Amino acid sequence: MYRAVFSQSFLQKVCLLGLIVSLAGCAGWSKQTSDTEAAYYDAAQTYLEKRNYSMAIEKLDALQSRFPFGRYSQASSIDLMYAKYQSKRFADSLITADRFTRLNADSPNIDYAWFIQAMSYYQMYMENSGIFGKADPAMRSPEQGEKAFSTMQSYLQMFPESEYRPEVVKAMVILKDSLAKHELYVADFYLRKQAWVSAADRAAAIINHYPGVAAQADAYLILIASYDALGLEEEKNIAIARLTMDFPTHDTLTSGDYIAPKHQRERWWVKALTLGIAQ
């Protein structure tokens, strides 16, 4: 009787021990599978589909930290730059894209990395719109904008068939107009300081380097005024002739002959500089 009871108790203990080991093994296996490279990547994809970019970035960062040379290395980098860009973390998306272009020059997605790099420069230039969100980026230093423009030019030259070209071209039109307006503001500053040569140089730069922008016609006005103040009658007449040919409906030509703006209020960019206070 004692032996029978002992055997039953012993069997119960063995079964209990086996169950504990089995559960521990399952828990370990579950933890192991959740920490795999594929698990991190799949989790990131789920967050990306839900547009939860902060969690996607967290998973992708963890993936790259744990598996820097894994099979998802390139794909996770592409997803990471995308998630950072969508999160408006443009400086971070720029760094990620720049690193990708340097380390994966032969990647089939290299054009996308260049696209993100160029657009990140563009967004960093455009995003600082002041405390009221209405400040003109043309009022700031053009250095970042020029960097964005040159990166976009490089992208267009390297990838003439890329599917992202239309968006870059559209951004370049806006960017070119903004950079030209900056030059116009500087030219007008020199004009008001009676630094005629500097004003003429800035105005000529707009005409020569930014064809087709809205500021070009007004650059002619500064050029004409500068030449007039310098007593350069021939150069002044050439500038008037070019204004007439390129912008025949300009307000200064409505009488048939060129009539210089009589007051600051006829120069729209001065109002932009002074928030409309200039009269």
Side-chain angles (χ1 to χ4, degrees), residues 58-276:
E58 182 178 317
K59 290 295 181 182
L60 291 166
D61 279 337
L63 169 61
Q64 294 201 335
S65 177
R66 293 176 65 89
F67 307 98
F69 306 108
R71 61 185 177 126
Y72 294 104
S73 177
Q74 286 194 19
S76 61
S77 293
I78 291 291
D79 289 337
L80 193 56
M81 68 180 77
Y82 168 78
K84 289 177 178 178
Y85 185 84
Q86 293 297 325
S87 301
K88 300 186 185 302
R89 292 169 51 178
F90 301 121
D92 291 338
S93 62
L94 172 62
I95 292 171
T96 304
D98 178 66
R99 182 169 59 245
F100 186 92
T101 58
R102 288 185 284 105
L103 299 179
N104 303 279
D106 57 345
S107 170
N109 297 309
I110 191 67
D111 65 321
Y112 182 75
W114 272 93
F115 165 73
I116 289 293
Q117 189 175 354
M119 293 302 295
S120 295
Y121 274 124
Y122 170 75
Q123 295 292 355
M124 288 167 63
Y125 173 71
M126 299 296 290
E127 71 174 349
N128 186 7
S129 55
I131 58 175
F132 299 111
K134 296 182 179 180
D136 188 347
M139 304 278 288
R140 304 193 308 272
S141 169
E143 181 178 356
Q144 206 165 48
E146 291 170 349
K147 180 64 176 179
F149 197 83
S150 64
T151 306
M152 289 176 172
Q153 284 182 318
S154 297
Y155 161 82
L156 293 177
Q157 291 170 0
M158 290 188 294
F159 309 105
E161 305 298 327
S162 176
E163 62 181 295
Y164 311 110
R165 283 178 64 88
E167 188 170 349
V168 171
V169 171
K170 181 179 178 181
M172 286 184 74
V173 171
I174 298 172
L175 185 57
K176 185 169 73 169
D177 189 67
S178 181
L179 292 173
K181 282 171 66 178
H182 175 82
E183 290 296 314
L184 187 66
Y185 294 155
V186 175
D188 185 80
F189 169 80
Y190 285 130
L191 189 71
R192 288 182 283 115
K193 294 294 184 181
Q194 298 184 2
W196 313 116
V197 174
S198 296
D201 286 344
R202 291 285 186 157
I206 297 169
I207 295 167
N208 295 328
H209 299 305
Y210 299 103
V213 299
Q216 191 173 40
D218 298 295
Y220 276 115
L221 304 189
I222 293 179
L223 192 62
I224 293 166
S226 299
Y227 286 154
D228 184 58
L230 291 168
L232 301 174
E233 197 66 22
E234 182 179 354
E235 287 81 356
K236 171 187 170 182
N237 290 333
I238 292 174
I240 292 174
R242 291 186 62 183
L243 173 66
T244 304
M245 180 175 63
D246 295 342
F247 303 95
T249 61
H250 196 271
D251 291 344
T252 58
L253 302 169
T254 53
S255 67
D257 295 315
Y258 175 77
I259 299 178
K262 296 177 181 179
H263 211 269
Q264 279 190 344
R265 63 172 170 264
E266 297 183 27
R267 293 174 12 232
W268 65 267
W269 61 89
V270 176
K271 287 189 177 182
L273 281 169
T274 60
L275 302 180

Side-chain angles (χ1 to χ4, degrees), residues 36-73:
T36 65
E37 184 181 7
Y40 276 106
Y41 187 73
D42 290 343
Q45 296 307 301
T46 300
Y47 286 124
L48 286 173
E49 290 174 3
K50 295 179 179 179
R51 299 184 181 180
N52 188 341
Y53 299 117
S54 60
M55 286 302 300
I57 291 170
E58 182 178 317
K59 290 295 181 182
L60 291 166
D61 279 337
L63 169 61
Q64 294 201 335
S65 177
R66 293 176 65 89
F67 307 98
F69 306 108
R71 61 185 177 126
Y72 294 104
S73 177

